[in-house]
Amino acid sequence: MYFSPAALLLALTACEKEARVIAADQPQTSPRGPQDPRAAAYENNAYQVSQGGRYFSWYGCGRCHASGSRGDLASAGARRDLPHLYASIAHGHTSGARIPPEQIWQLAGYIRSLPRIDPARRKRQDRDLRGEPQGPTWTGALR
Amino acid sequence: MSRLDETWADRPGWWGFLTTVDHKRIAARYIVTVVAMLFLAGMLALDMRLQLSAANGTRMGPQLYDESFSLHGSTMLFLVSVPVMEAMGIWLVPLMLGARNLAFPRLTAFSYWLYLGGVLMLWVPHALGITPDLGWFEYPPLSGPGYAPGHRADIWAQMITFTEVAALSASVNIAATILKMRPPGMTLARMPFFLWAMLIASLMTIFALPAVMLVTSMLIADRLVSTQFFTPAGGGDVLLFQHLFWFFGHPEVYIIFVPAVGFVSAIVEAFSRRPLFGHIAMVLSLLSISVLAFGLWVHHMFAVGLPRLGNDFYTAASMVIALPAGIQIFCWIATIGSGRPRFATPMLWVVGFIATFVIGGLSGVMVASAPLDLQLTDTYFVVAHFHYVLVGGAMFPLFGAFCYWYPKATGRMMSERWGIIAFVLIVGGFNLGFFPMHILGLEGMPRRVYTYGPEMGWDGLNLLATIGSTVSVLGGLVLVANALLSYWRGAPAGADPWGGPTLEWAAPSPPPPYNFEHTPVVTGVAPLWEHDDLPVMTGLKDDAREVLVTSVLDAIPLYRQHSPAPSIWPLLCALAVSAMFVGSIFTAWAILWGMVPIAVGLILWFWPVRGRATSGPLRARGQ
Ligand code: HEM
Ligand SMILES: [Cu+2]
């Protein structure tokens, strides 16, 4: 538990967007309602959002929600707040029940960030992540 | 005499401080900034050592450790080692040439301000909790947009841009000064070895640094405007980054080391009281190092899986460099052996340097061999190796140079007793602390880990490493304290306390703003040992800032050149450039709009203040 002082210090001094706390620094439970303050801590933080992006491909979300496809979640990210998105990941998907809460927070934070990301950049990020496992399949290192 | 003073003096107060183009004042600023950086990065290192001193340390978590070694490494290389060598050149080159100033005085000021920009670029965000955390070289894809969210990697890349622009300006300045402003009689053949070292290091800088500026700019482009230089899925290549980075990175260690060779030679010569043994062999070996250094970079990439033949070639090339380095070591030993050596503190540093650097060179030959390197890469063996060459090969000569030229810069002697204490603490502590790391590396302790388990059995040696490091950091504090106290309390030095051979010792200590009353005339490599009364040349105006320009090979006086006066424009232009660099982290438009103030600034900086010449090759056409 020796992370907490560092986490506190970071939270106090670093810009909210740039802080990077490796350990879970938020209570590991589902949102307490639409006003849950943890939402901002996830959706406005670059590190949490990028972790969410990584899980997005690991859990295979991209198979139905690839960027630019009919299932693209950018508009959902714009319409829904984070607790809503949390609920639809956790309960709207059969696999959702298996995902730990922190990762759902990060996934939802990622979806919230999608409408804010320039499409070219999103494509570029996806390219960087192309070598990561995509859902249950992993095709090996890129060649 | 007083007329010269009036001509070359800065305005008093803040305005003078901001506008000065005096190479000595600017170099002093560089040195003070470097010492501050050395202190901060040293404290970080000590913090890391405390974390590692026992198994399962709890002082730092992985993120903080990442940030610490990244900040430590980047600061030590980009904000300490490279700039401090430039600073020494900026201070010493005109003095050793008997010149009044550098060739491009305002560019000197511009270099410093941009270097300061680089310092702030890294450390202000650190104070705000945004620290680059990917090591001192930030390889993609880890530093690409997919894996390095936020602006940490951009901050690192832009810090590089700042310091490299500063280093390029300083190098152009130094090279031009050495080539075109040597005193009459100082042909290339009679040029002191230190000037050769500075010239070669500057030319190497000019060839090496564009590669790293290019590669960090490509990284920024990848991150900012989604180009695909480094993403294989988009047709890019991650190895391109490594090649370009190390095409700079390997020469860089020589950009740091070559001036250090110059310091050592100057000290060895002065304290052995005989001209350098094998002057020509030394110059030639330096030249061959400078060429070879550009053909070695792949030895940093043995582990990435390049073709066998490539690895073999770079193994051989890396070992070849031991030859010229060996020649130098033997020449120094021969100079000391055949002279009448006096072991004052600067000379002690040379002895410390030779002992330590030879160990670093030997472990260098070991890791230059690709098969062995595959075992040792990314272990503490490498950490030990590069600290032996960087600290032993560059910092020790630097400390020696500091003690050697301190009396010239301040007019006071440093305390010899405290100098020896600092020397023993630093060299002893360093070897005590870093030698065990070789063994830790052979035992398999990886580099860049924030902790290790007790079952690894690495505690004892790590504790020793921490104790040694602490001792040497204490020694560093003694050295700085000695310098500070001697500034007020030291015995007056006089112009030439060591009986040195080169021209800087003919100037008063500290040198006045115009350095020399008259331009010296030179008849050999060690001018002050050849004449009791230095012959001089007159003819430079004393009521205008004038410097002498001579021919490249034979230093034949060609013309008198107006030397630019103090100006606020270098500072304002540096501010404009900084705004562009910082802005371009956030938006590509900053590059376009940032150009406007820079262009305005440069136009005003170079606004002609004199009429066109009416005679000579530069006369206006039609006259
Ligand atoms: C007594 C002084 C010093 C101590 C105690 C020290 C200690 C350390 C430590 C603990 C690390 C991290 C090793 C790891 O976890 O991989 C490190 C890395 C490094 N140090 Fe030092 N250091 C000192 C001085 C210097 C100096 C003077 C330089 C350069 C001129 C330097 C350059 C570096 C570099 C380039 C790295 C690699 C950073 C990276 O992995 O990205 N150090 N040092
Ligand atoms: Cu190298």
Side-chain angles (χ1 to χ4, degrees), chain B residues 250 253 296 299-300:
Chain B
H250 188 82
V253 300
L296 306 181
H299 66 202
H300 295 273

Side-chain angles (χ1 to χ4, degrees), chain B residues 452-488:
Chain B
Y452 50 90
E455 68 284 358
M456 307 307 292
W458 295 332
D459 315 49
L461 290 177
N462 268 305
L463 184 60
L464 196 60
T466 304
I467 294 172
S469 310
T470 314
V471 171
S472 85
V473 169
L474 279 180
L477 296 180
V478 173
L479 186 80
V480 173
N482 186 5
L484 284 179
L485 289 181
S486 304
Y487 190 76
W488 292 284

Side-chain angles (χ1 to χ4, degrees), chain B residues 45 65 72 76-77 81 135-136 380 386-387 447-448 469 472:
Chain B
Y65 192 84
H72 167 79
M76 284 296 191
L77 287 174
S81 303
W136 84 273
Y380 261 79
F386 67 67
H387 282 91
R447 158 184 192 191
R448 295 177 171 172
S469 310
S472 85

Side-chain angles (χ1 to χ4, degrees), chain B residues 27 41 123 127 235-236 253 344-345 385 427 432 540 573 615 622:
Chain B
W123 282 83
V253 300
T345 31
H385 160 68
V427 176
L432 183 70
L540 288 184
C573 285
S615 63

Side-chain angles (χ1 to χ4, degrees), chain A residues 2-3 6 10 13-15 17-22 46-48 50 54 118 120-132 142-143, chain B residues 57-58 60-63 67 127-130 133 141 144-147 149-152 222-224 226-234 450:
Chain A
Y2 48 83
F3 287 110
L10 267 180
T13 55
C15 309
K17 175 172 177 292
E18 292 282 346
R20 181 165 187 169
V21 184
I22 302 283
Y47 171 68
Q48 306 287 10
S50 99
R54 192 123 48 122
D118 168 45
R121 186 181 167 92
R122 185 168 163 204
K123 204 160 125 200
R124 178 67 180 77
Q125 287 176 347
D126 289 347
R127 290 219 152 119
D128 257 5
L129 297 179
R130 191 72 61 78
E132 300 273 349
L142 286 179
R143 260 182 294 272
Chain B
T58 54
M60 294 184 181
Q63 176 65 21
E67 293 176 7
L128 300 174
I130 313 168
D133 48 7
Y147 291 98
H151 286 302
R152 292 167 193 250
D222 262 17
R223 298 173 51 85
L224 185 68
S226 306
T227 52
Q228 315 195 5
F229 292 114
F230 303 126
T231 182
Y450 79 103

Side-chain angles (χ1 to χ4, degrees), chain B residues 374-409:
Chain B
L374 277 182
Q375 276 301 306
L376 297 175
T377 189
D378 271 333
T379 68
Y380 261 79
F381 192 88
V382 172
V383 176
H385 160 68
F386 67 67
H387 282 91
Y388 263 82
V389 284
L390 283 170
V391 178
M395 291 296 128
F396 291 179
L398 178 74
F399 298 154
F402 191 79
C403 300
Y404 178 51
W405 280 296
Y406 182 91
K408 174 55 58 190

